[in-house]
Amino acid sequence: MDAVELKSLACGYGADFVGIVDLASLRGIRTEPADLLSGYKRAISIGIRLSDGVIDPIVDSPTPLYQQHYLRVNDRLDDIAIRVSQYLQKSGTKALPIPASQLLDMKNWTSYISHKAVAIAAGIGWQGKSLLVVNPECGPRLRLVTVLTDADLEPDKPIKNRCGKCLACAEACPATAIKGENTDSHFKDRDEALYFQRCVDKVVGDFAKRPFIEKPICGVCIRACPWGVKKRKSKPRIGTGKGK
Ligand code: SF4
Ligand code: SF4
Protein backbone atom coordinates (compact mmCIF):
# COMPACT_ATOMS: atom_id res chain seq x y z
CA MET A 1 0.00 0.00 0.00
CA ASP A 2 1.25 3.52 -0.75
CA ALA A 3 0.45 6.84 0.90
CA VAL A 4 -2.00 7.99 -1.80
CA GLU A 5 -3.98 4.77 -1.45
CA LEU A 6 -4.08 5.11 2.34
CA LYS A 7 -5.20 8.78 2.15
CA SER A 8 -7.89 7.92 -0.35
CA LEU A 9 -9.13 5.17 1.95
CA ALA A 10 -9.31 7.54 4.95
CA CYS A 11 -11.17 10.16 2.91
CA GLY A 12 -13.60 7.44 1.86
CA TYR A 13 -14.25 6.84 5.58
CA GLY A 14 -15.05 10.55 6.05
CA ALA A 15 -11.72 12.31 6.61
CA ASP A 16 -11.24 15.77 5.10
CA PHE A 17 -7.47 15.97 5.67
CA VAL A 18 -4.83 13.27 5.86
CA GLY A 19 -1.06 13.68 6.27
CA ILE A 20 1.80 11.34 7.09
CA VAL A 21 4.75 11.94 9.42
CA ASP A 22 8.06 10.13 9.65
CA LEU A 23 8.28 9.55 13.41
CA ALA A 24 11.99 10.41 13.28
CA SER A 25 10.88 14.03 12.85
CA LEU A 26 8.95 13.86 16.15
CA ARG A 27 11.90 12.60 18.16
CA GLY A 28 11.74 13.95 21.72
CA ILE A 29 7.99 14.58 21.65
CA ARG A 30 6.26 13.91 24.97
CA THR A 31 4.17 10.71 24.89
CA GLU A 32 2.29 8.60 27.37
CA PRO A 33 3.65 6.03 27.94
CA ALA A 34 7.18 7.25 27.19
CA ASP A 35 7.79 4.40 24.71
CA LEU A 36 4.47 4.85 22.87
CA LEU A 37 6.20 5.33 19.49
CA SER A 38 8.50 2.35 19.88
CA GLY A 39 8.03 -0.17 17.05
CA TYR A 40 6.24 2.35 14.79
CA LYS A 41 7.64 4.25 11.78
CA ARG A 42 4.91 6.68 10.83
CA ALA A 43 2.03 8.67 12.29
CA ILE A 44 -1.04 9.27 10.15
CA SER A 45 -2.78 12.54 11.01
CA ILE A 46 -6.47 12.63 10.12
CA GLY A 47 -8.68 15.71 10.28
CA ILE A 48 -12.37 16.50 9.94
CA ARG A 49 -13.46 20.00 9.02
CA LEU A 50 -15.90 21.55 11.48
CA SER A 51 -19.21 22.92 10.24
CA ASP A 52 -19.20 26.66 9.47
CA GLY A 53 -22.87 26.68 10.46
CA VAL A 54 -21.83 25.63 13.96
CA ILE A 55 -18.71 27.78 14.31
CA ASP A 56 -19.96 31.06 12.77
CA PRO A 57 -22.48 31.90 15.56
CA ILE A 58 -19.81 31.61 18.30
CA VAL A 59 -19.05 35.09 19.65
CA ASP A 60 -17.42 35.10 23.08
CA SER A 61 -18.34 31.68 24.50
CA PRO A 62 -19.19 28.12 23.37
CA THR A 63 -22.71 27.31 22.21
CA PRO A 64 -24.70 24.12 22.96
CA LEU A 65 -24.57 23.37 19.22
CA TYR A 66 -20.77 23.53 19.31
CA GLN A 67 -20.71 21.21 22.33
CA GLN A 68 -22.64 18.52 20.45
CA HIS A 69 -20.67 19.03 17.24
CA TYR A 70 -17.37 18.75 19.15
CA LEU A 71 -18.42 15.44 20.71
CA ARG A 72 -19.84 13.92 17.52
CA VAL A 73 -16.82 14.92 15.40
CA ASN A 74 -14.54 13.31 18.00
CA ASP A 75 -16.62 10.11 17.76
CA ARG A 76 -16.37 10.20 13.98
CA LEU A 77 -12.59 10.69 14.11
CA ASP A 78 -12.25 7.72 16.44
CA ASP A 79 -14.33 5.65 14.06
CA ILE A 80 -12.15 6.63 11.06
CA ALA A 81 -8.96 5.92 13.04
CA ILE A 82 -10.24 2.47 14.01
CA ARG A 83 -11.22 1.66 10.44
CA VAL A 84 -7.86 2.82 9.06
CA SER A 85 -6.12 0.73 11.74
CA GLN A 86 -8.21 -2.33 10.87
CA TYR A 87 -7.23 -1.92 7.23
CA LEU A 88 -3.53 -1.59 8.06
CA GLN A 89 -3.69 -4.59 10.35
CA LYS A 90 -5.37 -6.72 7.69
CA SER A 91 -2.62 -5.63 5.29
CA GLY A 92 -0.06 -7.15 7.66
CA THR A 93 1.23 -3.95 9.30
CA LYS A 94 1.00 -2.75 12.88
CA ALA A 95 -1.44 0.05 13.67
CA LEU A 96 -2.50 1.89 16.81
CA PRO A 97 -5.44 4.31 16.78
CA ILE A 98 -4.95 7.05 19.38
CA PRO A 99 -8.24 8.40 20.78
CA ALA A 100 -9.24 11.84 19.49
CA SER A 101 -9.94 13.25 22.93
CA GLN A 102 -8.86 11.38 26.05
CA LEU A 103 -6.98 13.33 28.69
CA LEU A 104 -4.55 11.26 30.77
CA ASP A 105 -3.11 14.07 32.88
CA MET A 106 -5.71 16.51 34.12
CA LYS A 107 -3.06 18.75 35.68
CA ASN A 108 -0.99 19.30 32.54
CA TRP A 109 -3.83 18.59 30.08
CA THR A 110 -1.88 16.01 28.12
CA SER A 111 -2.80 12.77 26.39
CA TYR A 112 -0.96 9.94 24.63
CA ILE A 113 0.57 12.32 22.07
CA SER A 114 -0.27 15.80 20.81
CA HIS A 115 -2.53 15.41 17.75
CA LYS A 116 -1.69 19.03 16.92
CA ALA A 117 2.07 18.37 16.84
CA VAL A 118 1.51 15.38 14.55
CA ALA A 119 -0.78 17.37 12.21
CA ILE A 120 1.74 20.23 11.98
CA ALA A 121 4.57 17.82 11.12
CA ALA A 122 2.22 16.19 8.57
CA GLY A 123 1.61 19.50 6.76
CA ILE A 124 -2.10 19.70 7.55
CA GLY A 125 -1.59 23.20 8.89
CA TRP A 126 0.81 25.53 10.68
CA GLN A 127 0.83 26.34 14.36
CA GLY A 128 -1.09 29.57 14.89
CA LYS A 129 -0.59 32.16 17.62
CA SER A 130 -3.51 30.44 19.36
CA LEU A 131 -1.55 27.12 19.30
CA LEU A 132 -4.27 25.73 17.01
CA VAL A 133 -3.45 23.97 13.75
CA VAL A 134 -4.37 26.47 11.00
CA ASN A 135 -5.15 24.88 7.65
CA PRO A 136 -5.00 27.01 4.46
CA GLU A 137 -8.51 25.88 3.44
CA CYS A 138 -10.49 26.02 6.67
CA GLY A 139 -8.24 27.74 9.20
CA PRO A 140 -8.44 26.14 12.66
CA ARG A 141 -11.95 24.78 11.96
CA LEU A 142 -10.91 21.17 12.20
CA ARG A 143 -10.43 18.39 14.72
CA LEU A 144 -7.79 15.69 14.65
CA VAL A 145 -6.91 12.10 15.41
CA THR A 146 -3.72 10.06 14.95
CA VAL A 147 -2.92 6.49 13.89
CA LEU A 148 0.56 5.04 14.46
CA THR A 149 1.81 2.42 12.04
CA ASP A 150 4.94 0.58 10.94
CA ALA A 151 3.79 0.76 7.30
CA ASP A 152 6.49 2.41 5.18
CA LEU A 153 4.35 5.28 3.86
CA GLU A 154 5.86 8.34 2.13
CA PRO A 155 5.84 11.24 4.60
CA ASP A 156 4.50 14.75 3.92
CA LYS A 157 6.24 18.04 4.64
CA PRO A 158 5.26 20.83 7.04
CA ILE A 159 3.88 24.05 5.58
CA LYS A 160 4.98 27.62 6.33
CA ASN A 161 3.36 29.73 9.03
CA ARG A 162 1.01 32.32 7.50
CA CYS A 163 -0.22 34.15 10.62
CA GLY A 164 1.79 37.24 9.73
CA LYS A 165 0.78 40.29 11.74
CA CYS A 166 -2.72 38.98 12.49
CA LEU A 167 -3.79 39.08 16.14
CA ALA A 168 -7.48 38.24 15.69
CA CYS A 169 -7.41 35.23 18.03
CA ALA A 170 -5.55 37.15 20.75
CA GLU A 171 -8.00 40.06 20.51
CA ALA A 172 -11.05 37.76 20.65
CA CYS A 173 -9.90 35.53 23.54
CA PRO A 174 -12.24 36.08 26.52
CA ALA A 175 -9.43 35.10 28.91
CA THR A 176 -6.68 37.26 27.33
CA ALA A 177 -4.72 34.03 27.26
CA ILE A 178 -3.06 34.36 23.82
CA LYS A 179 0.22 36.27 23.98
CA GLY A 180 0.33 37.08 20.24
CA GLU A 181 3.75 35.49 19.69
CA ASN A 182 4.57 33.86 16.34
CA THR A 183 6.66 30.83 15.45
CA ASP A 184 8.39 29.76 12.23
CA SER A 185 7.70 26.08 12.88
CA HIS A 186 6.27 25.22 16.30
CA PHE A 187 6.47 26.63 19.82
CA LYS A 188 8.94 24.91 22.16
CA ASP A 189 6.18 24.70 24.73
CA ARG A 190 2.68 26.13 25.04
CA ASP A 191 3.81 28.78 27.55
CA GLU A 192 5.59 30.55 24.70
CA ALA A 193 2.23 31.17 23.05
CA LEU A 194 -0.31 31.16 25.88
CA TYR A 195 -0.96 32.13 29.44
CA PHE A 196 -2.22 28.57 29.60
CA GLN A 197 -3.70 28.75 33.09
CA ARG A 198 -5.94 31.67 32.05
CA CYS A 199 -7.39 29.50 29.27
CA VAL A 200 -7.88 26.57 31.68
CA ASP A 201 -9.53 28.80 34.28
CA LYS A 202 -11.96 30.12 31.66
CA VAL A 203 -12.95 26.81 30.09
CA VAL A 204 -13.06 24.82 33.34
CA GLY A 205 -14.11 27.46 35.83
CA ASP A 206 -16.67 29.19 33.64
CA PHE A 207 -17.72 27.50 30.36
CA ALA A 208 -17.81 23.91 31.69
CA LYS A 209 -20.19 25.03 34.42
CA ARG A 210 -22.73 26.50 32.01
CA PRO A 211 -25.92 24.55 31.21
CA PHE A 212 -25.81 22.54 27.96
CA ILE A 213 -22.03 23.09 27.70
CA GLU A 214 -20.74 21.01 30.65
CA LYS A 215 -17.36 20.41 28.95
CA PRO A 216 -14.12 22.40 29.03
CA ILE A 217 -14.55 23.76 25.51
CA CYS A 218 -14.51 27.26 24.03
CA GLY A 219 -14.37 27.75 20.24
CA VAL A 220 -13.75 31.52 20.33
CA CYS A 221 -10.18 31.43 18.93
CA ILE A 222 -11.39 28.95 16.28
CA ARG A 223 -14.16 31.34 15.22
CA ALA A 224 -11.93 34.41 15.25
CA CYS A 225 -9.29 33.20 12.78
CA PRO A 226 -9.60 34.88 9.36
CA TRP A 227 -8.25 31.76 7.68
CA GLY A 228 -11.45 30.03 8.71
CA VAL A 229 -13.69 32.49 6.89
CA LYS A 230 -11.61 33.41 3.84
CA LYS A 231 -11.67 29.99 2.27
CA ARG A 232 -14.99 28.24 2.25
CA LYS A 233 -14.31 25.43 -0.18
CA SER A 234 -12.69 22.28 1.08
CA LYS A 235 -12.07 19.21 -1.01
CA PRO A 236 -11.04 15.90 0.51
CA ARG A 237 -7.25 16.02 0.53
CA ILE A 238 -6.17 12.69 -0.76
CA GLY A 239 -2.70 14.12 -1.22
CA THR A 240 0.28 13.32 -3.32
CA GLY A 241 2.53 12.38 -0.45
CA LYS A 242 3.92 15.93 -0.37
CA GLY A 243 3.04 18.85 1.89
CA LYS A 244 1.47 21.98 0.38
S1 SF4 B 1 -9.81 28.32 23.94
FE1 SF4 B 1 -10.93 30.24 24.50
S2 SF4 B 1 -9.98 30.90 26.41
FE2 SF4 B 1 -8.58 29.42 25.52
S3 SF4 B 1 -7.12 30.59 24.26
FE3 SF4 B 1 -8.81 30.05 22.86
S4 SF4 B 1 -10.24 31.77 22.98
FE4 SF4 B 1 -8.87 31.92 24.76
S1 SF4 C 1 -6.36 34.38 14.21
FE1 SF4 C 1 -4.59 35.22 13.12
S2 SF4 C 1 -2.86 35.02 14.56
FE2 SF4 C 1 -4.52 33.70 15.32
S3 SF4 C 1 -4.06 31.70 14.44
FE3 SF4 C 1 -5.46 32.72 12.99
S4 SF4 C 1 -4.09 33.74 11.48
FE4 SF4 C 1 -2.84 33.19 13.29
Tab-separated table of all heavy atoms in Angstrom, residues 17 46-50 66 69-71 73-74 77 100-101 115 140-145 217 222:
chain	number	residue	atom	x	y	z
A	17	PHE	N	-8.910	15.711	5.793
A	17	PHE	CA	-7.472	15.967	5.675
A	17	PHE	C	-6.706	14.747	6.184
A	17	PHE	O	-7.057	14.193	7.226
A	17	PHE	CB	-7.064	17.184	6.513
A	17	PHE	CG	-7.858	18.418	6.190
A	17	PHE	CD1	-8.914	18.800	7.004
A	17	PHE	CD2	-7.575	19.176	5.067
A	17	PHE	CE1	-9.667	19.933	6.706
A	17	PHE	CE2	-8.313	20.305	4.762
A	17	PHE	CZ	-9.369	20.680	5.582
A	46	ILE	N	-5.180	12.604	10.821
A	46	ILE	CA	-6.469	12.625	10.116
A	46	ILE	C	-7.305	13.770	10.688
A	46	ILE	O	-7.407	13.908	11.912
A	46	ILE	CB	-7.198	11.274	10.312
A	46	ILE	CG1	-6.384	10.134	9.681
A	46	ILE	CG2	-8.614	11.324	9.719
A	46	ILE	CD1	-6.857	8.736	10.067
A	47	GLY	N	-7.876	14.584	9.811
A	47	GLY	CA	-8.681	15.711	10.277
A	47	GLY	C	-10.065	15.717	9.676
A	47	GLY	O	-10.278	15.261	8.551
A	48	ILE	N	-11.014	16.242	10.453
A	48	ILE	CA	-12.372	16.496	9.939
A	48	ILE	C	-12.629	17.984	10.076
A	48	ILE	O	-12.377	18.584	11.133
A	48	ILE	CB	-13.436	15.702	10.727
A	48	ILE	CG1	-13.330	14.217	10.420
A	48	ILE	CG2	-14.847	16.210	10.400
A	48	ILE	CD1	-14.395	13.361	11.101
A	49	ARG	N	-13.122	18.578	9.011
A	49	ARG	CA	-13.459	20.000	9.024
A	49	ARG	C	-14.735	20.217	9.831
A	49	ARG	O	-15.723	19.498	9.654
A	49	ARG	CB	-13.648	20.474	7.582
A	49	ARG	CG	-13.958	21.933	7.504
A	49	ARG	CD	-14.066	22.406	6.070
A	49	ARG	NE	-14.476	23.795	6.080
A	49	ARG	CZ	-14.328	24.634	5.073
A	49	ARG	NH1	-13.782	24.200	3.966
A	49	ARG	NH2	-14.722	25.875	5.165
A	50	LEU	N	-14.702	21.219	10.708
A	50	LEU	CA	-15.896	21.550	11.483
A	50	LEU	C	-16.884	22.317	10.609
A	50	LEU	O	-16.506	22.961	9.629
A	50	LEU	CB	-15.506	22.403	12.703
A	50	LEU	CG	-14.621	21.689	13.738
A	50	LEU	CD1	-14.080	22.689	14.760
A	50	LEU	CD2	-15.386	20.575	14.445
A	66	TYR	N	-22.200	23.848	19.425
A	66	TYR	CA	-20.771	23.528	19.309
A	66	TYR	C	-20.416	22.358	20.218
A	66	TYR	O	-19.638	21.484	19.828
A	66	TYR	CB	-19.921	24.756	19.640
A	66	TYR	CG	-18.429	24.483	19.633
A	66	TYR	CD1	-17.811	23.942	18.510
A	66	TYR	CD2	-17.640	24.751	20.753
A	66	TYR	CE1	-16.454	23.673	18.501
A	66	TYR	CE2	-16.277	24.486	20.747
A	66	TYR	CZ	-15.690	23.945	19.625
A	66	TYR	OH	-14.346	23.670	19.617
A	69	HIS	N	-21.485	19.224	18.435
A	69	HIS	CA	-20.666	19.028	17.241
A	69	HIS	C	-19.277	18.513	17.631
A	69	HIS	O	-18.763	17.570	17.016
A	69	HIS	CB	-20.564	20.363	16.512
A	69	HIS	CG	-20.033	20.269	15.118
A	69	HIS	ND1	-20.556	19.432	14.156
A	69	HIS	CD2	-19.005	20.935	14.502
A	69	HIS	CE1	-19.880	19.578	13.032
A	69	HIS	NE2	-18.932	20.470	13.213
A	70	TYR	N	-18.696	19.138	18.633
A	70	TYR	CA	-17.373	18.755	19.150
A	70	TYR	C	-17.358	17.261	19.527
A	70	TYR	O	-16.472	16.507	19.137
A	70	TYR	CB	-17.086	19.642	20.365
A	70	TYR	CG	-15.827	19.357	21.124
A	70	TYR	CD1	-14.642	20.036	20.849
A	70	TYR	CD2	-15.820	18.432	22.170
A	70	TYR	CE1	-13.496	19.782	21.576
A	70	TYR	CE2	-14.672	18.182	22.898
A	70	TYR	CZ	-13.516	18.860	22.586
A	70	TYR	OH	-12.375	18.608	23.308
A	71	LEU	N	-18.377	16.847	20.263
A	71	LEU	CA	-18.421	15.445	20.713
A	71	LEU	C	-18.613	14.485	19.541
A	71	LEU	O	-17.958	13.446	19.455
A	71	LEU	CB	-19.550	15.258	21.734
A	71	LEU	CG	-19.393	16.029	23.057
A	71	LEU	CD1	-20.633	15.854	23.918
A	71	LEU	CD2	-18.151	15.560	23.810
A	73	VAL	N	-17.980	14.959	16.305
A	73	VAL	CA	-16.820	14.917	15.399
A	73	VAL	C	-15.708	14.060	16.020
A	73	VAL	O	-15.052	13.286	15.324
A	73	VAL	CB	-16.335	16.348	15.048
A	73	VAL	CG1	-14.991	16.308	14.323
A	73	VAL	CG2	-17.367	17.051	14.179
A	74	ASN	N	-15.523	14.184	17.338
A	74	ASN	CA	-14.538	13.310	17.999
A	74	ASN	C	-14.894	11.834	17.804
A	74	ASN	O	-14.026	11.003	17.537
A	74	ASN	CB	-14.469	13.620	19.498
A	74	ASN	CG	-13.698	14.885	19.788
A	74	ASN	OD1	-12.981	15.395	18.940
A	74	ASN	ND2	-13.867	15.402	20.993
A	77	LEU	N	-14.047	10.840	14.282
A	77	LEU	CA	-12.592	10.689	14.108
A	77	LEU	C	-12.121	9.354	14.673
A	77	LEU	O	-11.298	8.664	14.070
A	77	LEU	CB	-11.868	11.845	14.814
A	77	LEU	CG	-11.884	13.179	14.084
A	77	LEU	CD1	-11.472	14.314	15.027
A	77	LEU	CD2	-10.980	13.165	12.856
A	100	ALA	N	-9.219	10.424	19.873
A	100	ALA	CA	-9.238	11.840	19.488
A	100	ALA	C	-9.205	12.755	20.703
A	100	ALA	O	-8.606	13.827	20.657
A	100	ALA	CB	-10.477	12.128	18.646
A	101	SER	N	-9.854	12.347	21.776
A	101	SER	CA	-9.938	13.248	22.926
A	101	SER	C	-10.032	12.439	24.215
A	101	SER	O	-11.118	12.117	24.675
A	101	SER	CB	-11.165	14.156	22.775
A	101	SER	OG	-11.249	15.050	23.852
A	115	HIS	N	-2.027	15.518	19.128
A	115	HIS	CA	-2.529	15.408	17.748
A	115	HIS	C	-2.129	16.645	16.940
A	115	HIS	O	-1.912	16.556	15.731
A	115	HIS	CB	-4.061	15.289	17.740
A	115	HIS	CG	-4.582	14.037	18.379
A	115	HIS	ND1	-4.196	12.776	17.988
A	115	HIS	CD2	-5.490	13.856	19.376
A	115	HIS	CE1	-4.834	11.872	18.721
A	115	HIS	NE2	-5.613	12.512	19.576
A	140	PRO	N	-8.495	27.105	11.547
A	140	PRO	CA	-8.442	26.143	12.657
A	140	PRO	C	-9.753	25.385	12.843
A	140	PRO	O	-9.952	24.749	13.877
A	140	PRO	CB	-8.152	27.045	13.863
A	140	PRO	CG	-8.664	28.384	13.490
A	140	PRO	CD	-8.714	28.482	12.009
A	141	ARG	N	-10.640	25.446	11.843
A	141	ARG	CA	-11.948	24.780	11.962
A	141	ARG	C	-11.825	23.296	11.636
A	141	ARG	O	-12.395	22.799	10.647
A	141	ARG	CB	-12.951	25.458	11.034
A	141	ARG	CG	-13.189	26.910	11.420
A	141	ARG	CD	-14.068	27.630	10.427
A	141	ARG	NE	-14.282	28.996	10.886
A	141	ARG	CZ	-15.427	29.654	10.796
A	141	ARG	NH1	-16.459	29.094	10.242
A	141	ARG	NH2	-15.527	30.895	11.246
A	142	LEU	N	-11.055	22.602	12.416
A	142	LEU	CA	-10.908	21.166	12.201
A	142	LEU	C	-10.561	20.485	13.519
A	142	LEU	O	-10.086	21.129	14.455
A	142	LEU	CB	-9.833	20.873	11.140
A	142	LEU	CG	-8.365	20.962	11.494
A	142	LEU	CD1	-7.518	20.341	10.398
A	142	LEU	CD2	-7.922	22.376	11.709
A	143	ARG	N	-10.855	19.207	13.581
A	143	ARG	CA	-10.428	18.389	14.724
A	143	ARG	C	-9.624	17.215	14.183
A	143	ARG	O	-9.710	16.887	13.005
A	143	ARG	CB	-11.632	17.940	15.562
A	143	ARG	CG	-12.236	19.117	16.326
A	143	ARG	CD	-13.034	18.689	17.542
A	143	ARG	NE	-12.268	17.874	18.473
A	143	ARG	CZ	-11.350	18.341	19.327
A	143	ARG	NH1	-11.084	19.629	19.382
A	143	ARG	NH2	-10.705	17.509	20.131
A	144	LEU	N	-8.848	16.595	15.090
A	144	LEU	CA	-7.791	15.687	14.646
A	144	LEU	C	-7.752	14.374	15.408
A	144	LEU	O	-8.171	14.309	16.573
A	144	LEU	CB	-6.436	16.383	14.875
A	144	LEU	CG	-6.206	17.666	14.089
A	144	LEU	CD1	-5.137	18.506	14.753
A	144	LEU	CD2	-5.849	17.357	12.639
A	145	VAL	N	-7.211	13.365	14.753
A	145	VAL	CA	-6.914	12.101	15.410
A	145	VAL	C	-5.626	11.561	14.776
A	145	VAL	O	-5.210	12.043	13.713
A	145	VAL	CB	-8.104	11.113	15.250
A	145	VAL	CG1	-8.170	10.528	13.833
A	145	VAL	CG2	-8.068	9.998	16.279
A	217	ILE	N	-14.733	23.380	26.923
A	217	ILE	CA	-14.553	23.756	25.510
A	217	ILE	C	-14.750	25.263	25.383
A	217	ILE	O	-15.229	25.904	26.309
A	217	ILE	CB	-15.547	23.010	24.588
A	217	ILE	CG1	-16.996	23.279	25.029
A	217	ILE	CG2	-15.242	21.532	24.573
A	217	ILE	CD1	-18.022	22.789	24.043
A	222	ILE	N	-11.117	29.632	17.563
A	222	ILE	CA	-11.386	28.949	16.283
A	222	ILE	C	-12.218	29.883	15.397
A	222	ILE	O	-11.909	30.106	14.227
A	222	ILE	CB	-12.141	27.625	16.520
A	222	ILE	CG1	-11.261	26.642	17.297
A	222	ILE	CG2	-12.592	27.008	15.197
A	222	ILE	CD1	-11.970	25.355	17.701
